[in-house]
């Protein structure tokens, strides 16, 4: 079987008679048509978009509630410039921003999304929460969203489809060309564990304290096309050949079948960072996305550095370490081989990026992230509740209440308070 | 000789009220499980057992036998209402505005329209008001059993639980006023309507105060003991027993008191959401027992005469219609969900325990027509309300898929 894709003007015969790209893409994603990889669209470098997968909860027990279709029905009646879509199970709701240009814009739109989604959920009697994994949901109790694409996933992946009731944040960053996208994708992948550590907030899994800061990160690894982009891919053409080869075996049908930590998104002209737990407080999403955006811009304007195949084990270790220990983790630099605390690396990144950033609000994003680093991360906020005797229901309730607060929320006050404590504890001078 | 001994022992066992109830419960569980295996509602096991062993059948479980368990039944009914209160989300009912309003309008609409129809059909005004008040309430046992049986969750299930709570609260208040009116007209009444209203109001107020006291004791105890989530249900059970006891000695409304206790726990104490899972099995058996007893009291031979049957069917259908109409106030639910919700909330409660029985028929001053209509309604409720509730949850698409 030959995959259908456009290669600039060099269209294959099959592609020339194919239906319009959007339709072909939709059919491939739904598993109804042949494999299809669209052309890489151009987009303005540094523009960004944020996707958040949110939990829909019961207002009494704070268990997952299959009410996403009802909330979407209400959201579809409102006028907005952002998107709300279903996800694989009916307790998941995905929201995506419009194209954003800086932290200020991101923060404003995320806040608007938070308010609107909360209102719609409340109207139907549901609560909303951030967080990477629900503390006590049982995977077998989840319901597949009544849509062919998701039913197809359920048939293909079996129980993994329901296990995938985890909640991530994806950041899209605009790329000027397809080759740049592959280059930035490869370099950003090496720093993805920093984002796992920074966003980690899923310490509980299936009713137990998992001992991990981000239990969600372990779930994605079960999918066959998870992991990282292979190191031999260095141009868009390499990627197209890779896609072709897998499509010929029927392994992939569209870009959505690649569950890589960072992947190109040709139809948007972006690269997509996919490793973050959805933040408990949506405003953190804006700060994390701004950090990712500045890193991408820096990589884009720096000389190319490729990692070799030997970096794969280091990456796996960095990823595991970040998921396990959150912001207390260590990170091994794949280029120098030296080990550093995640906190130190992120601080150093932020300081360096602040000097070159053209975003007038980046300083504010930096402060939010640094406060969170000092406080010990969101996972610690949840485990402190457990240590104080909270049940799993209470943990889910606390997370939901954090989402309900505007940015100046208890979670942020806790974060600033902890940061202050840490500063006071440091020796003078 | 030996055979005679064995037979006499079996007869003795049959005379034991507890053994009879146990045997009836066993039968209801066996039939229920067999039905469930065939994809049918388990609660019908209790209905069939009740009809077979009760007044309609061989008469082992009858009114005199159940009278011996009155205290237990009262406590069970009050605990059912505690669960009803615990599922009422006051914040949502008040702040969602249209949704809360729709459910409240449904309560008032059901009461007023049923009373009006009964009055037009020839019942006296006071009888019509009394039965109208009862018909406000949705049966919590039917609703909770069917949602548990179907493992349903979603917006209809959630709104339904709130509607059950609200309807029972409004029904209790309306029933108190109607009973005061009824008592003031009876021949042996000592005082007028105002005096009876004060009497009924005092029962309610006392019940409310006891609920506040017991809830306060619970909140204080958990804080003093710094009780973790897993041990709080034990403390809660102790304060619930205190509440029941205090209501019993003060002749105050235990039903309202326990309902308010649940309401306080749900809305003032956001930590308390672990109780449900831990008592679920016991709760389901309790529901089956209560419903079996209710079914046992239904005498299908009493359902006779086309006029009461027609009127009862009209009232049963009208309650669903009014509920559906009231839901039009809100646009938070789709039409399909509204239709399903109206059917889900079709079951009805009774005067004494807010669980189906025929005690209303014995209430002073109840005419033949009213008693007959009420008896038919209760029979309809036992026979078809669980099935309709079960089916409508599927209609709403809120039942967990079996793959």
């Amino acid at each position: 079987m030959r995959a259908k894709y456009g290669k600039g003007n060099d269209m294959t015969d099959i592609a020339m008679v194919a239906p319009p790209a959007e339709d072909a893409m939709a059919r491939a994603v739904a598993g109804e048509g042949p494999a299809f990889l669209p052309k890489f669209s151009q987009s303005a470098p540094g523009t960004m978009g944020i996707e958040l997968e949110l939990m829909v909860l019961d207002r009494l027990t704070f268990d997952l509630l299959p009410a996403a279709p009802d909330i979407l029905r209400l959201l579809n009646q409102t006028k907005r410039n952002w998107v709300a879509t279903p996800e694989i199970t009916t307790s998941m709701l995905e929201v995506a921003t419009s194209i954003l240009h800086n932290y200020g814009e991101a923060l404003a739109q995320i806040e608007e999304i938070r308010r609107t989604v909360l209102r719609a959920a409340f109207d139907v009697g549901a609560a909303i929460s951030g967080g990477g994994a629900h503390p006590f949901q049982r995977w077998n109790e989840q319901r597949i969203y009544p849509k062919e694409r998701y039913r197809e996933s359920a048939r293909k992946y079996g129980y993994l489809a329901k296990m995938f009731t985890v909640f991530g944040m994806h950041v899209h960053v605009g790329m000027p060309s397809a080759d740049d996208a592959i280059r930035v994708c490869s370099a950003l992948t090496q720093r993805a564990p920093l984002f796992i550590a920074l966003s980690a907030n899923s310490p509980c899994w299936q009713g137990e304290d998992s001992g991990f800061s981000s239990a969600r990160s372990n779930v994605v690894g079960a999918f066959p096309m998870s992991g990282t982009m292979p190191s031999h891919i260095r141009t868009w053409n390499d990627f197209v050949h890779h896609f072709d080869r897998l499509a010929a075996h029927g392994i992939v049908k569209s870009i959505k079948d690649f569950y890589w930590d960072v992947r190109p998104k040709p139809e948007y002209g972006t690269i997509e960072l996919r490793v973050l737990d959805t933040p408990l407080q949506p405003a953190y999403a804006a700060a994390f996305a701004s950090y990712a955006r500045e890193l991408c811009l820096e990589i884009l304007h720096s000389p190319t550095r490729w990692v070799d195949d030997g970096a794969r084990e280091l990456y796996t270790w960095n990823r595991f370490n970040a998921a396990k220990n959150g912001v207390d983790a260590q990170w091994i630099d794949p280029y120098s081989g030296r080990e550093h605390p995640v906190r130190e690396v992120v601080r150093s990144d932020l300081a360096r990026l602040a000097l070159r950033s053209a975003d007038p609000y980046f300083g504010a994003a930096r402060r939010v992230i640094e406060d969170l680093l000092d406080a010990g991360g969101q996972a610690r906020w949840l485990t402190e509740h457990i240590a104080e005797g909270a049940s799993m229901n209470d943990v889910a309730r606390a997370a939901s209440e954090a989402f309900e607060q505007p940015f100046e929320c208890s979670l942020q006050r806790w974060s600033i308070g902890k940061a202050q404590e840490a500063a006071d504890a440091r020796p003078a001078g | 000789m030996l055979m005679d001994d064995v037979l006499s022992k079996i007869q003795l066992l049959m005379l034991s009220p507890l053994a009879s109830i146990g045997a009836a419960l066993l039968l209801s569980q066996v039939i229920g499980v067999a039905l469930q295996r065939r994809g049918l509602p388990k609660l019908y096991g209790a209905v069939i057992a009740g009809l077979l062993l009760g007044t309609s059948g061989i008469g082992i479980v009858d009114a005199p036998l159940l009278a011996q368990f009155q205290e237990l039944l009262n406590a069970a009914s009050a605990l059912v209402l505690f669960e009803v209160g615990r599922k009422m989300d006051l914040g949502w009912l008040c702040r969602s505005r249209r949704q809360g309003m729709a459910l409240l309008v449904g309560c008032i609409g059901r009461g007023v329209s049923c009373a009006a129809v009964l009055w037009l059909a020839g019942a006296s005004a006071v009888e019509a008001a009394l039965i109208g008040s009862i018909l406000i309430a949705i049966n919590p046992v039917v609703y909770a059993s069917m949602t548990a049986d179907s493992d349903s969750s979603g917006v209809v299930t959630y709104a339904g639980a709130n509607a059950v709570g609200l309807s029972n609260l409004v029904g209790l208040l309306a029933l108190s006023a109607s009973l005061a009116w009824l008592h003031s007209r009876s021949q042996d009444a000592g005082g007028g309507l105002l005096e009876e209203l004060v009497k009924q109001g005092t029962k309610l107020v006392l019940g409310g105060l006891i609920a506040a006291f017991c809830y306060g004791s619970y909140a204080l105890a958990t804080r003093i003991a710094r009780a973790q989530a897993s041990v709080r249900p034990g403390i809660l059970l102790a304060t619930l027993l205190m509440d029941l006891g205090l209501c019993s000695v003060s002749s105050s409304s235990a039903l309202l008191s326990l309902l308010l206790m649940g309401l306080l726990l749900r809305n003032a104490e956001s930590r308390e959401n672990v109780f449900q899972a831990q008592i679920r099995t016991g709760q389901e058996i309790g529901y089956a027992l209560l419903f079996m007893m209710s079914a046992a009291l239904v005498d299908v031979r009493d359902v006779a005469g086309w006029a009461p049957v027609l009127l009862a069917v009209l009232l049963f259908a009208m309650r669903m219609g009014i509920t559906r109409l009231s839901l039009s106030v809100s646009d938070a639910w789709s039409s399909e969900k509204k239709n399903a919700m109206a059917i889900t909330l079709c079951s009805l409660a009774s005067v004494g325990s807010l669980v189906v029985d025929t005690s209303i028929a014995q209430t002073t001053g109840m005419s033949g027509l009213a008693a007959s209509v009420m008896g038919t309604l209760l029979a309809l409720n036992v026979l078809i309300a669980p099935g309709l509730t079960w089916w409508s949850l599927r209609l709403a698409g809120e039942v967990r898929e079996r793959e």
Side-chain angles (χ1 to χ4, degrees), chain A residues 59-60 62 65-67 70 73-74 119 122-125 140-141 143-144 162 389 391 393-394 397, chain B residues 89 92 95-96 99 151 153 155 158 229 232 266 270-271 273-274 331-334 337 398 400-401 403:
Chain A
R59 285 173 52 82
L60 172 63
F62 292 93
L65 183 79
D70 305 275
R73 191 186 141 267
L74 285 187
R119 183 68 228 179
F122 182 79
D123 278 349
V124 298
N140 58 328
E141 290 175 0
R143 300 175 195 170
I144 298 294
K162 286 187 177 180
S391 67
N393 304 70
D394 290 329
R397 178 181 53 76
Chain B
D89 185 349
W92 180 73
R95 287 190 287 125
S96 67
Q99 286 76 273
D151 202 2
S153 68
V155 297
Y158 178 82
R232 289 200 289 267
R266 166 70 176 90
S270 56
R271 296 180 307 164
N273 40 35
V274 292
D331 55 7
W333 306 291
S334 64
K337 296 253 172 181
E398 300 201 346
R400 188 149 70 88
E401 67 212 84
E403 292 168 343

Side-chain angles (χ1 to χ4, degrees), chain A residues 27-342:
Chain A
R27 283 159 50 81
V29 168
E32 290 164 356
F36 182 78
L37 183 67
K39 278 200 300 181
F40 193 92
S41 312
Q42 275 192 334
S43 64
T47 49
M48 63 176 167
I50 303 168
E51 291 172 15
L52 296 173
E53 289 159 353
L54 302 170
M55 298 182 201
V56 179
L57 301 181
D58 181 293
R59 285 173 52 82
L60 172 63
T61 61
F62 292 93
D63 198 354
L64 288 174
L65 183 79
D70 305 275
I71 298 170
L72 282 168
R73 191 186 141 267
L74 285 187
L75 288 176
N76 288 339
Q77 293 167 8
T78 61
K79 206 177 161 191
R80 60 201 151 78
N81 58 351
W82 45 273
V83 183
T85 50
E87 251 299 332
I88 189 151
T89 57
T90 49
S91 306
M92 303 175 81
L93 182 71
E94 180 168 316
V95 290
T97 64
S98 58
I99 298 170
L100 305 165
H101 299 87
N102 57 48
Y103 172 68
E105 259 184 32
L107 192 61
Q109 191 166 109
I110 288 279
E111 174 57 17
E112 184 200 320
I113 291 173
R114 188 191 68 82
R115 268 189 286 112
T116 314
V117 170
L118 269 180
R119 183 68 228 179
F122 182 79
D123 278 349
V124 298
I128 297 287
S129 178
H134 187 270
F136 63 93
Q137 60 101 1
R138 300 286 166 193
W139 67 267
N140 58 328
E141 290 175 0
Q142 303 314 311
R143 300 175 195 170
I144 298 294
Y145 196 95
K147 203 172 165 187
E148 191 43 40
R149 179 190 153 196
Y150 300 119
R151 290 200 183 107
E152 170 62 23
S153 290
R155 280 192 289 271
K156 185 172 175 182
Y157 294 116
Y159 87 111
L160 290 180
K162 286 187 177 180
M163 284 284 277
F164 210 44
T165 307
V166 287
F167 305 83
M169 164 182 161
H170 302 172
V171 182
H172 287 264
V173 181
M175 289 291 127
S177 73
D179 285 342
D180 280 327
I182 296 297
R183 192 165 65 84
V184 176
C185 203
S186 168
L188 186 67
T189 297
Q190 297 308 317
R191 285 188 122 65
L194 301 175
F195 288 91
I196 294 177
L198 200 54
S199 66
N201 63 20
S202 47
C204 304
W205 180 246
Q206 307 276 310
E208 298 291 336
D209 186 344
S210 67
F212 273 72
S213 295
S214 172
R216 169 191 161 274
S217 299
N218 300 324
V219 178
V220 190
F223 284 83
M225 287 295 109
S226 59
T228 58
M229 187 172 74
S231 59
H232 72 269
I233 298 177
R234 297 194 168 185
T235 62
W236 178 250
N237 219 22
D238 291 342
F239 177 70
V240 169
H241 284 304
H242 183 70
F243 180 88
D244 250 359
R245 192 165 60 82
L246 295 179
H249 290 294
I251 298 171
V252 297
K253 284 209 155 187
S254 77
I255 192 75
K256 281 180 183 280
D257 289 324
F258 291 97
Y259 289 83
W260 295 341
D261 288 350
V262 187
R263 73 181 178 195
K265 192 79 170 163
E267 64 268 41
Y268 298 157
T270 62
I271 60 160
E272 186 184 9
L273 173 66
R274 302 158 40 80
V275 294
L276 297 94
D277 283 357
T278 296
L280 296 174
Q281 225 302 323
Y284 286 135
F288 298 158
S290 296
Y291 174 27
R293 168 183 179 266
E294 294 296 340
L295 267 180
C296 289
L297 286 172
E298 186 187 50
I299 296 165
L300 197 60
H301 297 112
S302 305
T304 307
R305 293 169 82 193
W306 299 99
V307 289
D308 57 32
D309 223 17
R312 186 173 281 269
E313 281 79 18
L314 285 188
Y315 179 81
T316 308
W317 176 252
N318 279 339
R319 194 184 195 285
F320 166 80
N321 216 333
K324 178 77 175 60
N325 300 313
V327 296
D328 296 326
Q330 298 284 63
W331 179 74
I332 305 170
D333 187 327
Y335 301 103
S336 70
R338 277 202 291 272
E339 193 174 36
H340 306 277
V342 161

